[in-house]
Amino acid sequence: MDIKNLLKMSVIDTAGQSVGKVENIEFNEDDGVITDIIVKLDNGLFSRDTEKINFDKVETIKDVVLLNTDIDLD
């Protein structure tokens, strides 16, 4: 997968809730491995809230990013 395709991809948690969209990706500069994804949360039209999610919490990436954890949007 081209890393550009991951940006703006929808993120879904284990509750089936749409959490937000991938805004940025953080890498280990030494080995190029993804360490975290930064998700712009779906907290309303003008919200700028983000959540840093460790890449270990990603279950799979296909058409969306599926997490193996719940995210509290409150």
Side-chain angles (χ1 to χ4, degrees):
M1 164 185 285
D2 188 337
I3 204 71
K4 291 184 291 185
N5 294 336
L6 186 57
L7 295 173
K8 304 297 182 205
M9 192 174 279
S10 294
V11 179
I12 309 295
D13 69 5
T14 55
Q17 160 178 259
S18 176
V19 175
K21 296 192 182 293
V22 177
E23 183 171 85
N24 205 349
I25 303 158
E26 294 184 356
F27 295 89
N28 178 319
E29 292 183 20
D30 295 329
D31 59 15
V33 173
I34 297 173
T35 57
D36 301 287
I37 59 173
I38 309 302
V39 178
K40 183 178 180 309
L41 299 176
D42 286 338
N43 279 344
L45 185 60
F46 299 108
S47 173
R48 311 267 300 140
D49 295 339
T50 61
E51 178 92 13
K52 180 187 250 187
I53 300 173
N54 188 283
F55 199 69
D56 291 343
K57 305 283 187 211
V58 174
E59 182 70 27
T60 188
I61 301 172
K62 299 225 182 206
D63 295 332
V64 297
V65 176
L66 294 176
L67 302 177
N68 60 17
T69 190
D70 288 337
I71 302 295
D72 185 14
L73 292 176
D74 294 326

